[in-house]
Amino acid sequence: MLRNYLSAALGNLGRNGPYAGITILGLAISFAAAILIGLYVRDEFSFDRFIPGHERVYRMQDDLLLPGQKPRPTDVVQSTAAANLKLDFPEVERVARLANAASQLKLGDRVTGEPIDWVDPDFFKVMPFPVLAGDLNAAVAEPDGLVLTREAARKYFGQDAPIGRVLLVDSGLEGRLGLPPAEMKRVSGFHPMKVMAVLADLPASSHLDEKVFAAGLAPFSPIAVEDRHPTPTTEDLAVYVKLKSGASPAGWEARFSAFAQRHYRAPGGGQVMNRYWLARLDELHFTPSEGEAVGDRRVDFAIAAVGALIVSIAAINFVTLMTARATRRAVEVGVRKAVGARRRDLVSQFMGEALIYMVIAMVIAVVAAELVLPSVDAFLGRALRFDYLADPALAGALIGAALLTTALAGLYPAVVLSAFRPVAALKGGAGQSTGSVALRHALVIAQFSILIGLIVMTATIYRQTRFVLNDALRVNTDQVARIFTPCGSAFGKEARRLPGVQAAACASSKAMMQFDTGATGVQMADGSLRIIYVAQLGPGFFEVHGLKPAAGRFFSRAHGEDMVLDRPDPPIEAQPSVVLNETAARFLGYADPHAAVGKTVIWARWSPALADDRPPPNRPSQIVGVVPDFTLGTARTAIRPTLFFVDPNLSTFLVLKLDHGRIPETLEALRRLWRQTGHDRPASIVFEAQSIQALYKDVITQGVALAVCAGLAIVIACLGLFALAAFVTERRTKEIGVRKAMGASSVDVARLLLWQFTQPVLWANLVAWPAAFLAMSYWLDGFAYRVGQPVWLFMGATAAAAVIAWITVSFQSWMAARANPASALRCE
């Protein structure tokens, strides 16, 4: 019997080649997309799980709660937090700190920029990475110990285990603000360090992507510098905690609150509420952190849902085509029942046919996924693993998906086909039930609901991406580059004179808003203290970015009150004039920008000359202007109230506006000048547009991925609609002949057929519009500045879906409308 069923199934597949091919192709495309989406989502939820004992490892997080401000989440804390945590929380087994620095490595004459993670001696006891050679713990317990990944070992030494080899390492602290001259001399330059261990390459599913780890005990390391010059009001180090077996950080909120009040203070004096908490290692990928594009469970679940919807579209095609062609198999069903076949035998046969479709489609999908996976990895910057032969869970998921789709998509057609009565079927009277036709219409409506929803979502993400990369910044970053170098360096002075440089200015990392914005206290007229952010820059910074004053003026060297800090060692009492952004003006109580100009603001200016345990004094400054709100950071967070002032000593970036017609030669001239002014490391030239684009890499990736998914959904839907249209027009051949014989024109007939396939598109809006609106509202809530969801967007998506449907069915409709009525009337 099984052989008979298999023969019948293959024969039916052969007889209905075009329809079967369309069905299998749609299923294969959907399965391939679902496989790739599943691999991505699984990778998202596997971050840092490769580390043994990861369930006991946490990273200390700090939500800085400043008065009148939204919480500022960070993944770095004060340098003293590790020791204090170990003393105050006996449940802690080990604590280790990590400081990331943009360092340089030198081997022979070659100097390479390399971000380095400087770590405490217990770091690899907290996170035991897989080791290939050497002793990890011994390596970071020595002041000159260095640990490389295999990739870095091959890069620098051409071998997997260069134990004992020496690299010259730059600490990455050159130009750090606030360090005494003797300390700066100690940390500057290159220092020899010895390779003492080699790690296996860390997977892409690790929140740490550095390839070099160095001992924090080195006297020139950022960790050692922090220990010698602790700064309780700044946050510089990541702190990793390993709890004792059975311990949990649940219920530690009150203890952490007391911990913060005991050990730390607010900028400008007084107590601040640092809301500390512990994020588990395997949750770090989903833990919000300022300045870091982390994963989002909502987005991952949405992507998984999109994969399921794509498979649903293909399954709908299967159901609609199988039920539409049900009457073609009525005689076969009648004959089988007449010779004794039971209904459950027929259900088994048709379910078996469905399974054959699914298996063929799955095999094609697996091959397609393997071919496409390298391109997907390159786009995502991941290394997705698709080793189904060595991964039973993955193989089981593939088999389970095929079986589940077979059950969901094949059961109803099997029930419909097996329900025909033998007598009616053999007489040719087996028609389709009202329920079958209604279901098919409902499935087509569902298909177009998914299609319209995906079009709306894709368009919204595209509009938001364009908005955050352009309009939300409110600043012109076109051909603006920045170079990390002291403001008054010889390079900075000469670079301004290069022919391809149109304008130049100095800026601090705080002015660049690279998630390093400091804060200070502003004394209000009623004696209260408000926390406002501060940023140091040089004259011309606003002009380089195309900004114009909202009120008053910007900084100028012609105004001495702006430049009181423009000297090598300005006095502590020196207080420059300031410029506020519009948010700061409102925050300080001014009705409009013009009302703030000329007023006095009393605030605390930190100076490197101040002792670490002495808060800066409050002194008055005059507000000379208000700048429109802008950001060089992220649109995910609201623009903060910020006070700008000129301080060349705290400005470590040179910002250049380049002539767009001379970019290559200007960059080469800058690099040549960099070498001529005594730098033995490569110049770090970063275009602001590229830096900002990197902040939204996840959004761009989501948009492209969803656009591809929407495109696949359109292709699959068109395949099914094309086959369905072909069959429906074939079924209505005699009706069309009668209509034409009664005087209907070809245009009338074509309009009738097109209207039949337009109705599902219109009904689909009742589901697609509210679902897409709610989904996109939820996604857009992650941005402080976002686009709206205008009605025209939804109407455009509907129009697009209708056009897609018309294009798909127009050929069959027009050919049927132009057919000879006499031939149509002879059709049986």
Side-chain angles (χ1 to χ4, degrees), residues 556-565 577:
S556 170
R557 293 187 180 277
H559 293 269
E561 64 272 23
D562 298 348
M563 309 301 298
V564 296
L565 301 180
S577 53

Side-chain angles (χ1 to χ4, degrees), residues 160-173:
D160 287 350
I163 304 300
R165 299 290 295 273
V166 175
L167 276 171
L168 297 179
V169 180
D170 162 49
S171 67
L173 294 176

Side-chain angles (χ1 to χ4, degrees), residues 683-708:
S684 176
I685 304 175
V686 179
F687 280 91
E688 288 185 356
Q690 294 175 338
S691 175
I692 292 168
Q693 190 170 26
L695 296 175
Y696 300 105
K697 180 181 178 181
D698 59 327
V699 179
I700 296 171
T701 300
Q702 292 164 17
V704 173
L706 193 60
V708 171

Side-chain angles (χ1 to χ4, degrees), residues 268-418:
Q271 294 295 315
V272 69
M273 182 175 290
N274 291 74
R275 186 170 62 194
Y276 294 112
W277 56 288
L278 297 182
R280 205 170 74 179
L281 187 63
D282 55 5
E283 295 287 328
L284 293 183
H285 184 58
F286 300 110
T287 301
S289 178
E290 186 177 37
E292 183 181 353
V294 297
D296 190 331
R297 283 189 181 86
R298 301 175 303 174
V299 173
D300 290 339
F301 288 137
I303 291 175
V306 168
L309 291 176
I310 291 176
V311 174
S312 299
I313 292 176
I316 288 172
N317 285 346
F318 180 85
V319 174
T320 53
L321 287 177
M322 291 296 287
T323 55
R325 296 184 61 81
T327 54
R328 288 299 182 93
R329 305 195 65 180
V331 175
E332 176 191 347
V333 172
V335 171
R336 288 188 177 277
K337 282 192 171 184
V339 297
R342 294 168 298 181
R343 186 174 184 183
R344 64 183 181 184
D345 296 328
L346 294 172
V347 170
S348 299
Q349 175 191 341
F350 294 129
M351 287 294 291
E353 290 183 14
L355 181 60
I356 291 175
Y357 278 85
M358 301 301 170
V359 169
I360 295 174
M362 182 61 77
V363 171
I364 297 173
V366 168
V367 174
E370 288 183 329
L371 294 175
V372 174
L373 188 58
S375 299
V376 174
D377 283 342
F379 172 68
L380 296 175
R382 301 281 181 91
L384 303 181
R385 184 169 172 265
F386 188 39
D387 191 2
Y388 48 88
L389 296 178
D391 190 342
L394 181 57
L398 295 176
I399 296 172
L403 293 177
L404 180 62
T405 308
T406 300
L408 295 178
L411 183 59
Y412 182 79
V415 171
V416 171
L417 292 172
S418 64

Side-chain angles (χ1 to χ4, degrees), residues 443-724:
L443 291 177
V444 174
I445 291 172
Q447 195 174 54
F448 277 99
S449 297
I450 296 170
L451 194 58
I452 293 171
L454 287 176
I455 293 174
V456 170
M457 293 165 64
T458 302
T460 301
I461 291 179
Y462 172 79
R463 294 178 66 241
Q464 178 64 17
T465 303
R466 296 290 301 172
F467 177 74
V468 298
L469 291 178
N470 297 292
D471 301 339
L473 301 176
R474 306 179 184 183
V475 64
N476 182 13
T477 61
D478 186 36
Q479 310 306 337
V480 176
R482 63 172 183 263
I483 304 173
F484 182 73
T485 184
C487 185
S489 66
F491 169 82
K493 295 176 181 178
E494 294 297 325
R496 299 168 183 264
R497 302 190 181 101
L498 292 176
V501 176
Q502 295 180 337
C506 294
S508 65
S509 59
K510 297 175 175 59
M512 301 304 296
M513 298 183 183
Q514 298 300 303
F515 316 107
D516 184 29
T517 308
T520 188
V522 172
Q523 186 175 326
M524 305 300 291
D526 59 2
S528 63
L529 191 71
R530 289 196 178 186
I531 302 300
I532 194 172
Y533 294 88
V534 295
Q536 305 87 5
L537 42 73
F541 176 81
F542 298 129
E543 291 85 345
V544 164
H545 292 94
L547 293 166
K548 296 182 179 180
R553 63 173 178 84
F554 289 154
F555 299 116
S556 170
R557 293 187 180 277
H559 293 269
E561 64 272 23
D562 298 348
M563 309 301 298
V564 296
L565 301 180
D566 188 16
R567 60 184 73 177
D569 188 19
I572 295 176
E573 63 274 10
Q575 198 79 346
S577 53
V578 301
V579 169
L580 304 178
N581 65 2
E582 291 176 310
T583 298
R586 291 191 299 269
F587 182 69
L588 296 180
Y590 298 108
D592 60 74
H594 296 279
V597 177
K599 300 298 191 298
T600 297
V601 59
I602 301 175
W603 61 292
R605 180 185 66 82
W606 179 84
S607 167
L610 290 169
D612 291 330
D613 58 351
R614 182 156 52 96
N618 290 324
R619 292 192 177 90
S621 287
Q622 185 183 36
I623 302 171
V624 298
V626 176
V627 63
D629 285 336
F630 73 97
T631 179
L632 292 172
T634 172
R636 289 184 171 94
T637 57
I639 293 174
R640 296 175 176 140
T642 305
L643 177 152
F644 300 93
F645 66 101
V646 175
D647 189 347
N649 298 300
L650 297 180
S651 297
T652 54
F653 284 95
L654 179 65
V655 184
L656 304 174
K657 177 72 171 181
L658 306 183
D659 183 349
H660 71 278
R662 308 181 63 175
I663 296 294
E665 52 265 44
T666 304
L667 292 177
E668 181 56 35
L670 287 169
R671 295 188 182 101
R672 185 168 56 251
L673 178 61
W674 181 266
R675 293 190 296 269
Q676 292 172 354
T677 50
H679 296 87
D680 57 358
R681 67 178 68 184
S684 176
I685 304 175
V686 179
F687 280 91
E688 288 185 356
Q690 294 175 338
S691 175
I692 292 168
Q693 190 170 26
L695 296 175
Y696 300 105
K697 180 181 178 181
D698 59 327
V699 179
I700 296 171
T701 300
Q702 292 164 17
V704 173
L706 193 60
V708 171
C709 290
L712 292 176
I714 291 172
V715 170
I716 297 169
C718 288
L719 288 173
L721 194 60
F722 182 87
L724 184 60

